[in-house]
Amino acid sequence: MDMINLKNALEKIEMPQAMQERIVRNCNEQLHNREEHTMKKSNTYRSQKWIPAAFSLSLFLMLSIVGTAAVRTGFFKNITRWDGAVTGSVYEQASEEIEVTAFADGGTLTVSATLLLPGEPPYCFFETFGVQSFQITDGDGKVVMEQKDPVFSRLEDGKASIQIPLEGIKPGDYRLLIRQFAGSAKADQPLTINGIWECNFTLSRL
Amino acid sequence: MKQIIRAPSDGAEALVAAYGSLLFRLCCVMLGNQADAEDAVQETMLQYLKKHPSFESPGHEKAWLITVAKNECRDILRFRQRHRQVSLEDWEGVSYDTPDKGILEALMSLPEQYRLVLVLYYVEEYPVKEIAQIIRRTPSAVKMRLQKGRRLLEEIYRKEYL
């Protein structure tokens, strides 16, 4: 018996559309329920006697972070292989930890990235900092430029000025959307920093 | 380090569209029952969505999903062994009356250990080495299962359907 017949026979098995829809609906429902359950759990006070203690602790924490410019929202996450082996790490949800401005002059876009927590990990380890993945869209929302390779610049006093050459872009108003930054130190693999940063810029002349 | 980034908005829909049929096919062959296969695929998708793991490449993501689906099928098979029940639905529910019904029925009558390697090797075209990693056996054990599975399949097919 030819195994091609087996392959052909099995490849005819497709998941029916109704089943696909059912699975999507059930998954979304279960995830929603799980989220709701977690929220309820975190909102429930187990005992009234903990309320004063929790109140004093939160007051203490609030007082201790007064004056801090930014609140830490990011966290490290492992990158895994299919079998669960950890092969690297990535820093997630860093949108509130980096401030971005951009201006274009001639054929170059200068992106100024300011680290709001320069003394804390992972930012305190970086020597160079760069944009790893970004998109530039025009006024109609059409993507005019996209890049997924990192463009690095030296990091000084928690600030990096990254120069990106603008290719094939006409003068006009644009929106820059950065999805990934990358930071690196000597002899270290660059660390990807995920988040969403948006800013507008105008290209007046080429 | 390259990694796959799936936007949260992609969610279950994109996942089912990308891997639904592959996992469903695999689970059907492992379980021989459409309803159980659907449960196994759904559980696999849920595990992915709950953990939201980051992978090196799409190949790793696919292999992870296959491994989880395989484990889900094993759990269902173990449950069935403990709680014997009469299935209301048979293999015909999955084969959709194709002329290849005989091959599918012959495949379904093989022990589970042969079914999985045959599907991964001949349908998903995984190399022996990768199948060995997925089922946590040595490559020579995979080769043995392929050889024996092929032979058994041919024997059953000749005896029952020719």
Side-chain angles (χ1 to χ4, degrees):
Chain A
M1 190 180 74
D2 198 344
M3 285 297 154
I4 292 286
N5 295 339
L6 176 72
K7 184 176 161 62
N8 291 340
L10 280 169
E11 274 178 348
K12 283 178 192 156
I13 300 176
E14 291 281 328
M15 184 183 266
Q17 189 59 35
M19 192 186 284
Q20 286 195 24
E21 284 164 14
R22 204 159 50 233
I23 289 179
V24 169
R25 198 174 51 242
N26 290 346
C27 282
N28 287 336
E29 234 168 60
Q30 289 210 32
L31 288 172
H32 177 76
N33 290 346
R34 186 173 175 251
E35 217 166 82
E36 220 172 44
H37 178 74
T38 317
M39 294 252 300
K40 263 187 197 165
K41 212 175 162 186
S42 63
N43 288 339
T44 307
Y45 292 116
R46 286 188 178 191
S47 168
Q48 293 273 326
K49 65 183 174 187
W50 290 105
I51 296 174
F55 180 75
S56 352
L57 182 67
S58 59
L59 192 70
F60 168 74
L61 286 172
M62 273 163 68
L63 289 173
S64 62
I65 59 167
V66 166
T68 308
V71 179
R72 175 170 287 277
T73 55
F75 58 91
F76 287 94
K77 190 176 176 186
N78 289 335
I79 300 173
T80 54
R81 281 191 341 176
W82 66 272
D83 59 355
V86 176
T87 56
S89 59
V90 64
Y91 193 70
E92 296 278 359
Q93 283 184 21
S95 309
E96 305 297 319
E97 297 177 6
I98 301 166
E99 208 172 71
V100 175
T101 55
F103 72 93
D105 189 26
T108 310
L109 175 70
T110 306
V111 179
S112 302
T114 310
L115 307 181
L116 300 178
L117 300 164
E120 291 187 38
Y123 307 107
C124 58
F125 304 121
F126 297 151
E127 289 168 5
T128 56
F129 198 71
V131 178
Q132 181 151 305
S133 165
F134 71 86
Q135 265 186 357
I136 295 172
T137 49
D138 62 12
D140 302 327
K142 193 179 140 200
V143 178
V144 291
M145 193 175 161
E146 197 169 15
Q147 192 166 318
K148 283 179 180 164
D149 296 322
V151 185
F152 281 103
S153 151
R154 190 126 207 98
L155 194 62
E156 277 163 17
D157 300 327
K159 285 182 185 173
S161 195
I162 304 140
Q163 311 275 328
I164 300 169
L166 294 171
E167 288 154 6
I169 296 183
K170 293 173 195 161
D173 292 330
Y174 295 96
R175 189 165 190 78
L176 171 72
L177 171 70
I178 300 174
R179 285 187 188 278
Q180 288 182 325
F181 277 104
S184 73
K186 209 173 179 179
D188 263 355
Q189 194 177 23
L191 176 76
T192 300
I193 295 165
N194 287 328
I196 293 177
W197 298 268
E198 282 181 289
C199 55
N200 296 322
F201 69 90
T202 305
L203 179 63
S204 47
R205 61 183 178 87
L206 287 172
Chain B
M1 177 71 56
K2 287 259 157 86
Q3 53 148 349
I4 306 172
I5 296 160
R6 205 183 280 282
S9 56
D10 287 355
E13 210 166 343
L15 198 63
V16 171
Y19 297 109
S21 285
L22 155 80
L23 297 177
F24 179 63
R25 199 177 297 142
L26 196 77
C27 295
C28 278
V29 170
M30 290 272 287
L31 301 166
N33 177 309
Q34 192 168 354
D36 283 348
E38 183 180 343
D39 285 348
V41 174
Q42 187 174 304
E43 242 352 274
T44 307
M45 300 292 183
L46 260 175
Q47 282 212 36
Y48 182 95
L49 293 166
K50 278 179 192 169
K51 291 187 178 166
H52 224 286
S54 303
F55 291 102
E56 270 185 32
S57 66
H60 283 279
E61 186 179 57
K62 188 175 159 187
W64 186 89
L65 286 164
I66 289 175
T67 310
V68 174
K70 178 204 79 181
N71 292 338
E72 286 297 334
C73 290
R74 292 252 164 95
D75 285 349
I76 291 173
L77 288 172
R78 253 182 246 134
F79 180 85
R80 268 200 219 156
Q81 272 175 359
R82 284 198 305 269
H83 307 82
R84 291 262 170 219
Q85 54 189 351
V86 179
S87 175
L88 296 174
E89 187 182 32
D90 62 7
W91 178 238
E92 283 154 41
V94 172
S95 68
Y96 308 114
D97 296 327
T98 61
D100 314 297
K101 206 173 123 193
I103 301 174
L104 293 176
E105 282 181 348
L107 178 71
M108 290 311 301
S109 60
L110 293 181
E112 178 248 318
Q113 54 184 6
Y114 301 121
R115 270 183 264 160
L116 182 63
V117 288
L118 284 173
V119 173
L120 289 179
Y121 188 78
Y122 288 109
V123 184
E124 302 307 330
E125 295 176 356
Y126 268 93
V128 169
K129 205 175 144 194
E130 283 183 32
I131 298 174
Q133 285 177 333
I134 289 174
I135 65 165
R136 296 180 195 274
R137 291 285 181 275
T138 60
S140 54
V142 173
K143 282 182 197 161
M144 286 292 289
R145 284 187 187 187
L146 277 173
Q147 196 185 10
K148 201 168 174 191
R150 262 192 314 255
R151 190 167 50 76
L152 277 172
L153 186 66
E154 196 159 352
E155 268 173 27
I156 296 168
Y157 187 70
R158 276 183 198 287
K159 199 172 139 191
E160 304 281 335
Y161 304 98
L162 287 184

Coordinates of all heavy atoms in Angstrom, one line a residue, chain B residues 5-50:
Chain B
I5 N 5.6 37.1 18.1 CA 4.7 38.0 18.9 C 3.3 37.9 18.3 O 3.1 38.2 17.1 CB 5.2 39.4 18.8 CG1 6.6 39.5 19.5 CG2 4.3 40.3 19.6 CD1 7.4 40.7 19.1
R6 N 2.4 37.4 19.1 CA 1.0 37.3 18.7 C 0.3 38.4 19.5 O 0.3 38.3 20.7 CB 0.5 35.9 19.0 CG -0.7 35.5 18.2 CD -1.1 34.2 18.6 NE -0.3 33.1 18.1 CZ -0.4 32.6 16.9 NH1 -1.2 33.1 16.1 NH2 0.4 31.6 16.5
A7 N -0.3 39.3 18.7 CA -1.0 40.4 19.4 C -2.2 39.8 20.2 O -2.8 38.8 19.7 CB -1.5 41.4 18.4
P8 N -2.6 40.4 21.4 CA -3.6 39.8 22.2 C -4.9 39.7 21.4 O -5.8 38.9 21.6 CB -3.8 40.8 23.4 CG -2.5 41.5 23.4 CD -1.9 41.5 22.0
S9 N -5.1 40.7 20.4 CA -6.3 40.7 19.6 C -6.4 39.5 18.7 O -7.5 39.1 18.3 CB -6.4 42.0 18.8 OG -5.2 42.1 18.0
D10 N -5.3 38.9 18.4 CA -5.3 37.7 17.5 C -6.1 36.6 18.2 O -7.0 36.1 17.6 CB -3.9 37.2 17.3 CG -3.1 38.1 16.3 OD1 -3.7 39.1 15.8 OD2 -1.9 37.9 16.1
G11 N -5.8 36.3 19.4 CA -6.5 35.4 20.3 C -6.8 34.0 19.6 O -6.1 33.5 18.8
A12 N -7.9 33.5 20.1 CA -8.4 32.2 19.8 C -8.6 32.0 18.3 O -8.3 31.0 17.7 CB -9.6 31.8 20.5
E13 N -9.2 33.0 17.6 CA -9.6 32.9 16.3 C -8.4 32.7 15.3 O -8.4 31.7 14.5 CB -10.3 34.2 15.8 CG -11.3 34.0 14.8 CD -12.2 35.2 14.6 OE1 -12.3 36.0 15.5 OE2 -12.9 35.2 13.6
A14 N -7.3 33.4 15.5 CA -6.1 33.3 14.7 C -5.5 31.9 14.9 O -5.0 31.3 14.0 CB -5.2 34.4 15.0
L15 N -5.5 31.5 16.2 CA -4.9 30.3 16.6 C -5.6 29.1 15.9 O -5.0 28.2 15.4 CB -4.9 30.1 18.1 CG -4.0 29.1 18.7 CD1 -2.5 29.5 18.5 CD2 -4.2 29.1 20.2
V16 N -6.9 29.1 16.0 CA -7.7 28.0 15.4 C -7.6 28.0 13.9 O -7.5 27.0 13.3 CB -9.2 28.2 15.8 CG1 -10.1 27.2 15.1 CG2 -9.4 27.9 17.3
A17 N -7.5 29.2 13.3 CA -7.4 29.3 11.8 C -6.0 28.7 11.4 O -5.9 28.0 10.4 CB -7.5 30.7 11.4
A18 N -5.0 29.0 12.2 CA -3.7 28.5 11.8 C -3.4 27.1 12.1 O -2.8 26.4 11.3 CB -2.6 29.4 12.6
Y19 N -3.9 26.6 13.2 CA -3.5 25.2 13.6 C -4.7 24.3 13.8 O -4.5 23.1 14.1 CB -2.7 25.2 14.9 CG -1.4 26.0 14.8 CD1 -1.2 27.2 15.4 CD2 -0.3 25.4 14.0 CE1 0.0 27.9 15.2 CE2 0.9 26.1 13.9 CZ 1.0 27.3 14.5 OH 2.2 28.0 14.4
G20 N -5.9 24.8 13.7 CA -7.1 24.0 14.0 C -7.2 22.7 13.2 O -7.3 21.6 13.9
S21 N -7.0 22.7 11.9 CA -7.2 21.5 11.1 C -6.1 20.5 11.4 O -6.3 19.3 11.5 CB -7.2 21.8 9.6 OG -8.4 22.4 9.3
L22 N -4.8 21.0 11.6 CA -3.7 20.1 11.9 C -3.9 19.4 13.2 O -3.8 18.1 13.2 CB -2.4 21.0 12.0 CG -1.3 20.4 12.8 CD1 -0.5 19.4 12.0 CD2 -0.3 21.5 13.2
L23 N -4.4 20.1 14.2 CA -4.6 19.4 15.5 C -5.8 18.5 15.5 O -5.8 17.5 16.1 CB -4.7 20.5 16.6 CG -3.5 21.4 16.8 CD1 -3.8 22.4 17.9 CD2 -2.3 20.5 17.3
F24 N -6.8 19.0 14.8 CA -8.0 18.2 14.7 C -7.7 16.8 14.0 O -8.2 15.8 14.5 CB -9.1 19.0 13.9 CG -10.4 18.2 13.7 CD1 -11.2 17.9 14.8 CD2 -10.8 17.9 12.5 CE1 -12.4 17.2 14.7 CE2 -12.0 17.2 12.3 CZ -12.8 16.9 13.4
R25 N -7.0 16.9 12.9 CA -6.6 15.7 12.2 C -5.8 14.7 13.1 O -6.1 13.5 13.2 CB -5.7 16.1 11.1 CG -5.5 15.1 9.9 CD -4.7 15.7 8.9 NE -5.3 16.9 8.3 CZ -4.6 18.0 7.9 NH1 -3.3 18.1 8.1 NH2 -5.2 19.0 7.4
L26 N -4.9 15.3 13.8 CA -4.1 14.5 14.7 C -4.9 13.8 15.9 O -4.8 12.7 16.2 CB -3.0 15.4 15.3 CG -1.8 14.7 16.0 CD1 -0.9 14.2 14.9 CD2 -1.1 15.7 16.9
C27 N -5.8 14.7 16.4 CA -6.6 14.2 17.5 C -7.6 13.2 17.0 O -7.9 12.2 17.8 CB -7.3 15.3 18.2 SG -6.2 16.5 19.0
C28 N -8.2 13.4 15.8 CA -9.1 12.4 15.3 C -8.4 11.0 15.1 O -9.0 10.0 15.5 CB -9.6 12.8 13.9 SG -10.9 14.0 14.0
V29 N -7.2 11.0 14.6 CA -6.5 9.8 14.4 C -6.2 9.1 15.8 O -6.3 7.9 15.9 CB -5.2 10.0 13.6 CG1 -4.3 8.8 13.6 CG2 -5.5 10.4 12.2
M30 N -5.8 10.0 16.8 CA -5.5 9.4 18.1 C -6.7 8.9 18.8 O -6.6 7.9 19.5 CB -4.8 10.5 19.0 CG -3.5 11.0 18.5 SD -2.2 10.0 19.3 CE -2.2 10.5 20.9
L31 N -7.8 9.6 18.6 CA -9.0 9.2 19.4 C -10.1 8.5 18.7 O -10.9 7.8 19.3 CB -9.6 10.5 20.1 CG -8.6 11.3 21.0 CD1 -9.2 12.7 21.2 CD2 -8.4 10.6 22.3
G32 N -10.1 8.7 17.3 CA -11.1 8.0 16.5 C -12.5 8.5 16.8 O -13.5 7.8 16.6
N33 N -12.7 9.7 17.3 CA -14.0 10.2 17.7 C -14.0 11.7 17.5 O -13.1 12.4 18.1 CB -14.2 9.7 19.1 CG -15.5 10.2 19.7 OD1 -15.8 11.4 19.6 ND2 -16.3 9.3 20.2
Q34 N -14.9 12.2 16.8 CA -14.9 13.6 16.5 C -15.1 14.5 17.7 O -14.5 15.6 17.9 CB -16.0 13.9 15.4 CG -15.9 15.3 14.8 CD -16.8 15.4 13.6 OE1 -17.4 14.5 13.2 NE2 -16.9 16.6 13.1
A35 N -16.1 14.1 18.5 CA -16.4 14.9 19.7 C -15.2 15.0 20.7 O -14.9 16.1 21.2 CB -17.6 14.3 20.4
D36 N -14.5 13.8 20.9 CA -13.4 13.8 21.8 C -12.2 14.7 21.1 O -11.5 15.4 21.8 CB -12.9 12.4 22.0 CG -13.8 11.7 23.0 OD1 -14.6 12.4 23.7 OD2 -13.7 10.5 23.1
A37 N -12.1 14.5 19.8 CA -11.0 15.3 19.1 C -11.3 16.8 19.3 O -10.4 17.6 19.5 CB -11.0 15.0 17.6
E38 N -12.5 17.2 19.2 CA -12.9 18.6 19.4 C -12.5 19.1 20.8 O -11.9 20.2 21.0 CB -14.4 18.8 19.2 CG -14.8 20.3 19.3 CD -16.3 20.5 19.0 OE1 -16.9 19.6 18.4 OE2 -16.8 21.6 19.4
D39 N -12.8 18.2 21.8 CA -12.5 18.6 23.2 C -11.0 18.7 23.4 O -10.5 19.6 24.0 CB -13.0 17.5 24.2 CG -14.5 17.5 24.4 OD1 -15.0 18.5 23.9 OD2 -15.0 16.6 24.9
A40 N -10.2 17.8 22.7 CA -8.8 17.8 22.9 C -8.2 19.1 22.2 O -7.3 19.7 22.8 CB -8.1 16.6 22.2
V41 N -8.7 19.4 21.1 CA -8.2 20.6 20.4 C -8.5 21.8 21.2 O -7.7 22.7 21.4 CB -8.8 20.7 19.0 CG1 -8.4 22.1 18.3 CG2 -8.4 19.6 18.1
Q42 N -9.7 21.9 21.7 CA -10.2 23.0 22.5 C -9.3 23.2 23.8 O -8.8 24.3 24.1 CB -11.6 22.9 22.9 CG -12.2 24.1 23.6 CD -13.6 24.0 23.9 OE1 -14.4 23.8 23.0 NE2 -14.0 24.1 25.2
E43 N -9.0 22.1 24.4 CA -8.2 22.1 25.6 C -6.7 22.6 25.3 O -6.1 23.3 26.0 CB -8.1 20.7 26.2 CG -8.6 20.5 27.6 CD -9.0 21.7 28.4 OE1 -8.1 22.3 29.1 OE2 -10.2 22.0 28.4
T44 N -6.2 22.1 24.1 CA -4.9 22.5 23.7 C -4.8 24.0 23.4 O -3.9 24.7 23.9 CB -4.5 21.8 22.4 OG1 -4.7 20.4 22.6 CG2 -3.1 22.1 21.9
M45 N -5.9 24.5 22.7 CA -5.9 26.0 22.4 C -6.0 26.8 23.7 O -5.4 27.8 23.9 CB -7.2 26.3 21.6 CG -7.2 25.6 20.3 SD -5.9 26.2 19.2 CE -6.3 25.3 17.7
L46 N -6.8 26.3 24.7 CA -7.0 27.0 26.0 C -5.7 27.1 26.7 O -5.3 28.1 27.3 CB -8.0 26.3 26.8 CG -9.4 26.9 26.8 CD1 -10.3 26.0 27.6 CD2 -9.4 28.3 27.4
Q47 N -4.9 25.9 26.7 CA -3.6 25.9 27.4 C -2.7 27.0 26.8 O -2.0 27.7 27.5 CB -3.0 24.6 27.3 CG -3.6 23.6 28.2 CD -2.6 22.5 28.7 OE1 -1.4 22.9 28.9 NE2 -3.0 21.3 28.8
Y48 N -2.7 27.1 25.5 CA -1.9 28.0 24.8 C -2.3 29.5 25.2 O -1.5 30.3 25.5 CB -2.0 27.9 23.3 CG -1.1 28.8 22.5 CD1 0.1 28.4 22.1 CD2 -1.5 30.1 22.3 CE1 1.0 29.3 21.4 CE2 -0.7 31.0 21.6 CZ 0.6 30.6 21.2 OH 1.4 31.5 20.5
L49 N -3.6 29.7 25.2 CA -4.1 31.1 25.4 C -3.9 31.5 26.9 O -3.7 32.6 27.2 CB -5.6 31.2 25.1 CG -5.9 31.1 23.5 CD1 -7.3 30.8 23.3 CD2 -5.4 32.3 22.8
K50 N -3.9 30.5 27.8 CA -3.7 30.8 29.2 C -2.3 31.1 29.5 O -1.9 32.0 30.2 CB -4.2 29.6 30.1 CG -5.7 29.6 30.3 CD -6.0 28.4 31.2 CE -7.5 28.1 31.2 NZ -7.8 26.8 31.8

